[in-house]
């Protein structure tokens, strides 16, 4: 992969799809888009599992979900507006957020890939609302 991002428009659209694009279309259009995306996810998961047999199907789907979220966000951060670039140039303490896109994405991808097999494969998805009696996971210590 070259040192520059391979598909800047795609990276940009990843951030905008759930925020704007999916909210301004008909049900038929978004259904067709989602079904095509699902086909692509299934193909990528199959390829991932061939290359990394330690990943389960769920791991592959979770990896793709994490990566699409990260790409959308990291691309925006790595390509700041003129105003943000000026702020970063004027105050180096803030410039850490404007990281080089591909190295950061590569490092975070590696961390996720290495960590996924360690996660309990029988764990269920977290509920949408926190359980009032459950301890706060942000303060829990292993």
């Amino acid at each position: 992969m070259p040192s520059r991002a391979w598909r800047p428009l795609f990276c940009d659209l990843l951030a905008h799809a759930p925020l704007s694009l999916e909210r301004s279309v008909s049900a038929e259009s978004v259904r067709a888009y989602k079904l095509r995306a699902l086909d692509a996810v299934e193909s990528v998961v199959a390829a991932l599992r061939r290359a990394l047999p330690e990943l389960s199907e769920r791991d592959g789907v979770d990896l793709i979900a994490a990566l699409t979220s990260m790409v959308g966000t990291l691309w925006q951060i790595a390509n700041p507006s003129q105003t943000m670039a000026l702020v970063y140039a004027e105050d180096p303490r803030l410039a850490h957020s404007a990281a080089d896109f591909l190295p950061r994405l590569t490092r975070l991808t590696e961390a996720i890939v290495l960590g996924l097999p360690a996660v309990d494969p029988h764990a269920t998805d977290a509920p949408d609302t926190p359980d009032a009696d459950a301890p706060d996971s942000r303060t829990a210590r292993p």
Side-chain angles (χ1 to χ4, degrees), residues 85-111:
L86 179 62
V87 168
Y88 295 152
E90 290 175 351
D91 192 338
R93 295 174 300 164
L94 303 175
H96 72 279
S97 17
D100 197 19
F101 173 74
L102 199 52
R104 183 173 277 181
L105 179 62
T106 300
R107 181 176 181 275
L108 292 172
T109 300
E110 183 177 342

Side-chain angles (χ1 to χ4, degrees), residues 31-71:
R31 182 178 297 109
Y33 160 73
K34 290 291 192 178
L35 289 172
R36 286 187 69 187
L38 182 59
D39 288 343
V41 166
E42 289 171 353
S43 295
V44 172
V45 168
L48 281 170
R49 294 192 67 210
R50 283 191 300 275
L52 301 166
E54 66 273 17
L55 295 182
S56 69
E57 185 170 339
R58 180 177 178 183
D59 291 341
V61 171
D62 286 349
L63 175 61
I64 292 168
L67 291 179
T68 55
S69 298
M70 284 192 313
V71 166

